[in-house]
């Protein structure tokens, strides 16, 4: 169950479209320095970013608007004053790529912090960014800030601001829903005061997606986060549109929005233009001898269409017929091994990668991916009780979720729960590789800790993070206390070890040679700019156990 009803918010004030595209936000040097002088025709508009770190390389990004294609010089230095240049070169900013420029810095030393900048032909400079390479050899500790689901209309990106203020990380991982496609007036039905979207309609074309990226990247907390750390990141569905898969999406109407493959291609192109990512759909990052981080692609490359409970239950006369239909589905199409999340090529790549990571002596095999892998069913009796007091739009969904649970099915078919054979193949590959599997997940807006199992044996753990701003269960299951809801869900789901469904925030994940741990950091709120925490929760797993520590 994922929130789908727009929430009531105060109408935001306008941010001029021209400001977004020509750089109306205050620049932030590494020490909050002002933005450099503007290059002719617009200059540096959206700060800097880095990503795809390796032992000797890192990808650099900026955006610089001009009258014609611009040759930007870039520099990577060992010091903030750029007296010891480690790598340098040139990158082009052109209208063909919406003035976004990328470069791969090579020849860097492993495990080192670096500073970088871009210089326009007239001498104007971008913000100074900080990045680092991945370590080589033994690694005592590696820390990652993990984010997902940042809907600009619902609030301020306080989770980003807190991570930047805390500063206790080596890199950032974003598991998706970096932005949302909806028009103003849809999810949320009113923009929070101080927020504004461009374009104000749903993103469909390349120009739409580019402008939506510009709107999000104008946020000062997101800009700061990109400035301070390299990112490993992958899209979920909302970077294209809701519940997307290889051949379509729930929120795509061909009659009015055109061919899906054209829209999907536009979304992918804008994402790759505006973010510090490679063009590879999936990738691996070697964190010395400590871990391999696998960035998976679970949406647009090969995913089969997810089942629809609504379609299965359309016209059903009462609970008994609902359960009968769902039971037949469970024993038939639901288990079809041809249905996939990753596709054959990525499944083989991952299985081989898990084995080679373990053979090389690396302790942890970490998946940065989008949708929940743990098994989850709605507590049937509780959900049926809540349905009696729910509005009409929610009552039907709750009753469908309860019926699915009674038929031995999950409610969220858009997660790995909707692809049981594909999930079993992945977990079998992890077991065969003797992997210490850690899955980092977003998508649901709520915080979870799942104990993954295959054939009755421990197969890994899942740290699933709460959203940056997108609302969780607290926004529409309002007649039950969040603590009571979490308790019921944990009680009814053997793989679910812990849940928190009422707070926004992010995960602070730490790996050591003996232990993988997660601290879920809960923000006090998102309606006002603040880095105050409401609390936190920590869990850990010892290497070799594939289970959460007792207690």
């Amino acid at each position: 169950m994922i929130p789908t009803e727009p929430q009531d918010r105060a109408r935001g004030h306008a941010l001029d479209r021209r400001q977004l595209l020509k750089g109306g936000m205050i620049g932030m040097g590494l020490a909050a320095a002002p933005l450099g002088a503007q290059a002719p025709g617009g200059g540096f508009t959206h700060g800097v970013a880095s990503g795809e770190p390796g032992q000797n390389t890192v990808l650099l990004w900026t955006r610089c608007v001009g009258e014609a294609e611009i040759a930007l010089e870039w520099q990577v230095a060992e010091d903030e004053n750029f007296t010891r240049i480690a790598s340098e070169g040139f990158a082009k900013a052109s209208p063909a790529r919406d003035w976004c420029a990328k470069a791969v810095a090579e020849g860097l030393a492993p495990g080192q912090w670096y500073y970088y900048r871009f210089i326009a032909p007239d001498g104007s400079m971008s913000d100074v960014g900080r990045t680092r390479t991945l370590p080589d050899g033994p690694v005592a500790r590696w820390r990652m800030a993990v984010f997902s689901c940042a809907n600009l209309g619902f609030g301020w990106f306080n989770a980003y601001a807190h991570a930047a203020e805390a500063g206790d990380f080596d890199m950032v991982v974003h598991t998706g829903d970096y932005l949302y496609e909806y028009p103003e007036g849809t999810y949320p039905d009113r923009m929070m005061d101080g927020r504004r979207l461009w374009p104000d309609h749903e993103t469909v074309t390349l120009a739409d997606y580019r402008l939506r990226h510009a709107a999000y990247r104008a946020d000062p907390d997101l800009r700061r986060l990109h400035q301070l750390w390299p990112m490993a990141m992958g899209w979920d569905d909302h970077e294209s549109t809701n519940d997307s898969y290889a051949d379509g999406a729930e929120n795509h109407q061909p009659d009015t929005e055109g061919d899906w493959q054209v829209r999907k291609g536009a979304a992918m192109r804008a994402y790759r233009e505006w973010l510090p990512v490679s063009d590879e759909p999936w990738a691996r990052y070697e964190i010395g001898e400590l871990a391999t981080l696998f960035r998976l692609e679970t949406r647009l490359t090969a995913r089969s269409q997810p089942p629809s409970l609504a379609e299965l239950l359309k016209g059903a006369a009462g609970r008994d017929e609902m359960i009968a239909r769902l039971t037949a589905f469970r024993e038939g199409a639901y288990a079809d091994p041809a249905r996939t999340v990753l596709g054959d090529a990525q499944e083989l790549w991952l299985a081989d990668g898990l084995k080679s990571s373990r053979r090389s002596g690396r302790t942890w095999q970490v998946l940065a991916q989008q949708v929940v892998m743990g098994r989850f069913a709605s507590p049937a009796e509780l959900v049926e009780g809540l349905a009696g007091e729910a509005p009409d739009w929610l009552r039907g969904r709750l009753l469908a979720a309860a019926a699915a649970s009674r038929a031995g099915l999950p409610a969220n078919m858009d997660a790995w729960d909707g692809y049981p054979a594909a999930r079993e193949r992945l977990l079998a590959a992890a077991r065969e590789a003797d992997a210490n599997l850690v899955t980092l997940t977003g998508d649901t807006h709520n915080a979870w800790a799942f104990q993954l199992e295959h054939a009755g044996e421990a197969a890994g753990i899942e740290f699933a993070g709460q959203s940056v701003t997108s609302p969780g269960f607290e926004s529409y299951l309002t007649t039950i206390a969040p603590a009571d809801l979490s308790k019921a869900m944990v009680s009814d789901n053997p793989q679910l070890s812990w849940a928190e469904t009422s707070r926004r925030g992010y995960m602070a994940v730490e790996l050591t040679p003996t232990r993988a741990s997660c601290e879920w950091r809960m923000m006090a709120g998102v309606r006002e700019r603040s880095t105050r925490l409401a609390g936190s929760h920590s869990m850990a797993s010892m290497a070799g156990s594939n289970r959460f520590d007792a207690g």
Side-chain angles (χ1 to χ4, degrees):
M1 299 179 295
I2 299 174
T4 56
E5 181 74 357
Q7 303 298 299
D8 187 41
R9 292 290 187 271
R11 177 71 61 180
H13 64 259
L15 176 62
D16 186 81
R17 177 179 184 274
R18 194 170 303 166
Q19 284 183 298
L20 289 175
L21 291 179
K22 292 214 170 184
M25 300 302 295
I26 296 173
M28 294 172 292
L30 202 60
L35 182 65
Q38 298 293 287
F44 294 101
T45 65
H46 286 78
V48 295
S50 68
E52 306 292 355
Q55 273 70 30
N56 307 111
T57 62
V58 68
L59 188 152
L60 311 176
W61 179 98
T62 194
R63 184 172 187 266
C64 189
V65 177
E67 300 295 336
E69 183 177 280
I70 306 168
L72 300 174
E73 182 182 3
W74 57 265
Q75 297 175 330
V76 177
E78 297 176 9
D79 63 311
E80 193 172 352
N81 294 322
F82 289 84
T83 62
R84 299 188 300 278
I85 302 297
S87 186
E88 57 188 338
F90 288 88
K92 293 180 180 179
S94 74
R97 294 185 61 83
D98 204 18
W99 303 104
C100 298
K102 291 182 182 180
V104 176
E106 299 177 331
L108 306 178
Q112 298 296 315
W113 289 102
Y114 289 98
Y115 301 88
Y116 64 97
R117 66 187 179 189
F118 291 83
I119 306 170
D122 68 347
S124 60
M125 296 185 185
S126 70
D127 296 350
V128 173
R130 186 188 68 173
T131 191
R132 72 166 300 166
T133 51
L134 298 182
D136 204 1
V139 178
R141 185 179 80 158
W142 188 258
R143 290 181 60 84
M144 298 175 285
V146 183
F147 300 95
S148 64
C149 305
N151 187 316
L152 187 144
F154 277 111
W156 298 105
F157 294 160
N158 292 335
Y160 295 155
H162 185 275
E165 185 179 274
D168 51 350
F169 303 104
D170 298 294
M171 70 181 296
V172 167
V173 174
H174 205 296
T175 64
D177 291 345
Y178 179 92
L179 52 73
Y180 282 70
E181 81 280 13
Y182 297 116
E184 282 197 2
T186 300
Y187 201 64
D189 60 357
R190 292 185 179 181
M191 299 290 289
M192 194 193 74
D193 193 24
R195 293 300 218 183
R196 185 68 190 275
L197 284 181
W198 289 103
D200 58 6
H201 56 264
E202 185 167 320
T203 55
V204 177
T205 68
L206 177 60
D208 293 340
Y209 285 110
R210 284 171 165 175
L211 191 53
R212 188 60 58 88
H213 276 278
Y216 272 70
R217 290 293 295 275
D219 178 85
D221 295 317
L222 178 53
R223 178 166 170 167
R224 182 67 169 168
L225 190 76
H226 274 296
Q227 183 184 15
L228 292 178
W229 287 285
M231 283 197 188
M233 53 194 310
W235 54 60
D236 195 5
D237 53 338
H238 290 290
E239 289 86 349
S240 54
T241 195
N242 186 58
D243 287 359
S244 52
Y245 51 96
D247 296 325
E250 178 276 331
N251 190 31
H252 179 74
Q253 294 74 43
D255 290 346
T256 58
E257 294 171 330
D259 182 82
W260 166 245
Q261 297 302 328
V262 173
R263 182 180 186 180
K264 180 175 79 168
M268 294 167 67
R269 176 173 173 175
Y271 184 92
R272 287 167 172 164
E273 288 174 344
W274 272 85
L275 292 171
V277 297
S278 73
D279 290 345
E280 297 300 322
W282 50 83
R284 61 186 287 177
Y285 310 88
E286 304 295 356
I287 305 170
E289 297 175 3
L290 179 64
T292 302
L293 175 67
F294 298 91
R295 170 172 62 80
L296 304 187
E297 199 290 307
T298 66
R299 281 289 176 190
L300 302 179
T301 302
R303 178 194 275 246
S304 307
Q305 182 175 0
S308 169
L309 290 180
E311 289 298 318
L312 285 167
L313 299 176
K314 185 179 293 184
R319 191 179 79 173
D320 289 347
E321 184 177 348
M322 293 170 70
I323 294 174
R325 290 188 186 185
L326 291 167
T327 300
F329 168 69
R330 185 196 69 208
E331 296 177 356
Y334 176 63
D336 183 356
R339 299 182 58 256
T340 184
V341 175
L342 303 179
D344 292 344
Q346 191 177 182
E347 283 190 17
L348 180 60
W349 168 83
L350 178 60
D352 289 345
L354 293 170
K355 290 178 181 177
S356 66
S357 177
R358 286 298 287 151
R359 283 198 301 265
S360 69
R362 291 178 172 86
T363 303
W364 300 102
Q365 289 67 50
V366 184
L367 309 184
Q369 57 100 46
Q370 289 67 52
V371 293
V372 166
M373 192 171 292
R375 296 176 183 172
F376 178 83
S378 301
E381 290 186 9
L382 174 65
V383 170
E384 288 170 342
L386 294 174
E389 303 177 11
D392 289 343
W393 71 268
L394 180 57
R395 183 179 299 111
R397 293 171 185 171
L398 291 175
L399 292 176
S405 182
R406 293 190 183 281
L409 287 169
N412 185 7
M413 293 292 178
D414 188 57
W416 282 91
D417 263 340
Y419 305 81
R423 175 173 54 195
E424 291 310 301
R425 289 195 296 270
L426 188 155
L427 295 177
R431 290 279 300 168
E432 184 178 349
D434 193 28
N436 287 298
L437 188 70
V438 178
T439 299
L440 308 178
T441 303
D443 184 60
T444 69
H445 310 173
N446 302 289
W448 317 94
F450 281 97
Q451 171 64 62
L452 304 176
E453 294 182 356
H454 173 69
E457 299 292 332
I461 59 170
E462 181 167 35
F463 299 137
Q466 69 275 50
S467 64
V468 173
T469 60
S470 301
F473 287 166
E474 84 285 353
S475 67
Y476 65 111
L477 296 181
T478 57
T479 59
I480 183 173
D484 293 339
L485 178 61
S486 295
K487 182 178 179 181
M489 291 188 296
V490 171
S491 177
D492 276 31
N493 287 278
Q495 289 192 9
L496 182 60
S497 298
W498 172 81
E500 209 295 325
T501 65
S502 66
R503 292 288 184 182
R504 309 306 106 226
Y506 69 105
M507 298 188 294
V509 175
E510 179 177 294
L511 305 175
T512 73
T514 59
R515 193 168 178 263
S517 62
C518 178
E519 179 189 15
W520 287 265
R521 295 178 174 177
M522 322 294 183
M523 306 310 300
V526 297
R527 299 301 303 276
E528 297 179 355
R529 291 193 71 187
S530 169
T531 56
R532 186 167 64 88
L533 292 181
S536 65
H537 179 80
S538 296
M539 295 184 71
S541 175
M542 299 302 293
S545 71
N546 275 321
R547 292 189 180 277
F548 289 112
D549 294 351

